[in-house]
Amino acid sequence: MPSRKSPPSSAASFLARTCLCLATLPVASFAQSSATDSTRLLDLGRKTTLELVRIPAGDFLLGSSAKERVWAASPEGGAAPGKGGDGREKFEGAPRRTRIPHAFWMGRTEVTVGQWRRFVAETGFVTDAEKPGGETQCYDPAWKAGSKNPPHPWKSMPDKSWRDPNFPKPVRDDHPVVCVSWNDAMAFCKWLTKRERQAGRLSQGLVYRLPTDAEWEYACRGGRENTIFWWGDDLKDGEGRLNINGRDALPGRDAGWDRTEAPWSDGFPFLSPVDHFGERGRNGFGLADTLGNVWEICLDHWDPKGAHEEVCRDDTPRRVCRGVSFLAVPGFARCAVRLGLRGHNYSDSRDGFRLCLGTPRN
């Protein structure tokens, strides 16, 4: 991984002042105010808003313990290779003390179809999946359970995108946007940064961006140091909090996915509306859907040895994603779980992203 050089003293001083301003700056300088000092509400136009939640500075244990990884592959967790799992626990790394030195802001929810639609309406942006020769991974309703080739119901489709991810029902504006790549998510962030700065609502030194790998896990844990889930260590307490692989029948079938499932129905075999579970579905920081619904693309390049406290910049084209999807078995739906996308232009109908506001990290 390339080394990170310290900025000149004058630049370091400026960055320090910028980080302090993140916690103390008047609301009007970078966003529209909502009901409390801990949230900000952005007006995207056409009656579309985007809510941000303040995440305080702090430290936590990044990664997962051996005991947690054993549970993930247990019959209850269902993540054992060959039983619905693929051994991804090895990508998490052992717990290590990690510091998030400055407060930042994060989307209450994943970016929605409606919010993405506003971006496209203003810019005419075309996603990687929609470009000539583009494609995206989507659900194949013709897939048969027990098939070994392919062993899962997802395949690459050239004529699908965020507008139509090939789900049995059309996507709604309050669903998380999917079939967007790392490139696409970065373009959304740059658009919003430029838009808000030109309107005088964003201070110099702050940008809208993707969360880093470490920021994401810290925010997901919601103030807990190192529990399996953001609500604690007991899977049973997750009922009514998240959308993962539960006892929900697929369209035209009497059963759900042919994999180990959560011991309850969450009501959604596919996407759920963001923040559907209300206060019970929000973690200690007030973030909704940090586990389940869709994977969330992060800023970092992928290091299979584990997340970094600083942003990982490597030669790999792969990018980190977090948070798991509606298809996840319980053993995958943990705060420490992370995967690498195939590339910066790869997209999938299980992948979306969450917005972050803070100092530049790239």
Side-chain angles (χ1 to χ4, degrees):
M1 184 177 68
S3 62
R4 293 175 57 85
K5 296 181 179 179
S6 299
S9 58
S10 58
S13 176
F14 171 76
L15 285 174
R17 293 195 303 273
T18 296
C19 293
L20 177 62
C21 286
L22 183 58
T24 60
L25 214 58
V27 172
S29 64
F30 63 89
Q32 298 298 316
S33 177
S34 68
T36 74
D37 292 336
S38 62
T39 62
R40 303 288 184 263
L41 195 64
L42 300 179
D43 183 358
L44 303 184
R46 304 285 179 88
K47 299 181 179 180
T48 303
T49 58
L50 192 157
E51 187 178 20
L52 298 167
V53 176
R54 185 179 183 276
I55 310 299
D59 61 86
F60 71 113
L61 291 176
L62 181 72
S64 59
S65 67
K67 181 179 179 181
E68 177 180 332
R69 294 192 291 273
V70 168
W71 176 84
S74 72
E76 183 180 43
K83 301 292 184 181
D86 56 9
R88 65 186 65 177
E89 299 81 26
K90 61 181 177 288
F91 304 137
E92 297 160 17
R96 57 269 191 206
R97 180 65 56 184
T98 302
R99 177 71 180 166
I100 304 298
H102 305 294
F104 60 98
W105 299 79
M106 204 168 188
R108 169 88 74 188
T109 72
E110 298 135 340
V111 170
T112 67
V113 171
Q115 292 160 352
W116 183 264
R117 197 184 305 279
R118 283 293 303 131
F119 162 54
V120 172
E122 279 204 4
T123 64
F125 185 81
V126 177
T127 63
D128 280 326
E130 297 172 285
K131 292 176 182 177
E135 57 186 15
T136 187
Q137 294 283 319
C138 293
Y139 171 70
D140 179 9
W143 180 81
K144 301 297 183 182
S147 171
K148 294 183 178 180
N149 189 24
H152 54 75
W154 255 257
K155 73 174 185 179
S156 186
M157 299 183 182
D159 57 347
K160 298 297 178 181
S161 70
W162 67 274
R163 302 174 190 274
D164 175 16
N166 209 49
F167 292 130
K169 295 182 180 180
V171 292
R172 299 169 20 171
D173 273 1
D174 60 354
H175 281 155
V177 68
V178 295
C179 296
V180 290
S181 67
W182 185 90
N183 288 338
D184 300 334
M186 291 288 284
F188 181 94
C189 295
K190 291 177 181 178
W191 162 73
L192 192 55
T193 296
K194 181 179 179 181
R195 185 181 192 273
E196 293 300 292
R197 183 158 290 139
Q198 287 180 342
R201 296 189 292 260
L202 182 64
S203 171
Q204 291 294 329
L206 300 179
V207 296
Y208 289 97
R209 57 173 173 80
L210 294 174
T212 70
D213 202 351
E215 284 174 340
W216 190 96
E217 186 171 328
Y218 172 70
C220 175
R221 294 186 180 280
R224 292 178 179 268
E225 185 173 75
N226 190 245
T227 53
I228 296 176
F229 314 104
W230 59 256
W231 60 85
D233 291 322
D234 192 341
L235 172 64
K236 297 182 181 65
D237 288 341
E239 185 171 1
R241 295 185 189 272
L242 74 170
N243 172 20
I244 58 172
N245 177 23
R247 295 178 177 175
D248 303 293
L250 290 168
R253 296 177 56 180
D254 294 330
W257 304 104
D258 295 290
R259 311 171 68 184
T260 299
E261 60 189 22
W264 62 73
S265 168
D266 56 48
F268 300 98
F270 292 96
L271 298 176
S272 65
V274 297
D275 205 15
H276 170 80
F277 301 98
E279 289 296 328
R280 183 166 172 78
R282 296 180 180 181
N283 70 11
F285 290 148
L287 300 176
D289 303 313
T290 53
L291 295 179
N293 217 10
V294 296
W295 286 94
E296 300 178 13
I297 302 169
C298 294
L299 184 63
D300 295 56
H301 292 204
W302 168 251
D303 184 347
K305 296 178 182 178
H308 294 235
E309 184 170 285
E310 295 297 324
V311 180
C312 178
R313 290 296 183 191
D314 212 335
D315 295 333
T316 176
R318 303 186 75 180
R319 300 296 190 269
V320 174
C321 64
R322 292 285 205 142
V324 306
S325 75
F326 54 84
L327 183 57
V329 299
F332 289 171
R334 298 176 290 108
C335 300
V337 170
R338 56 194 294 276
L339 282 183
L341 299 174
R342 294 179 188 174
H344 48 75
N345 60 351
Y346 173 85
S347 66
D348 193 302
S349 61
R350 294 162 290 185
D351 299 347
F353 70 102
R354 190 180 300 254
L355 193 68
C356 183
L357 169 63
T359 54
R361 298 298 305 273
N362 55 333

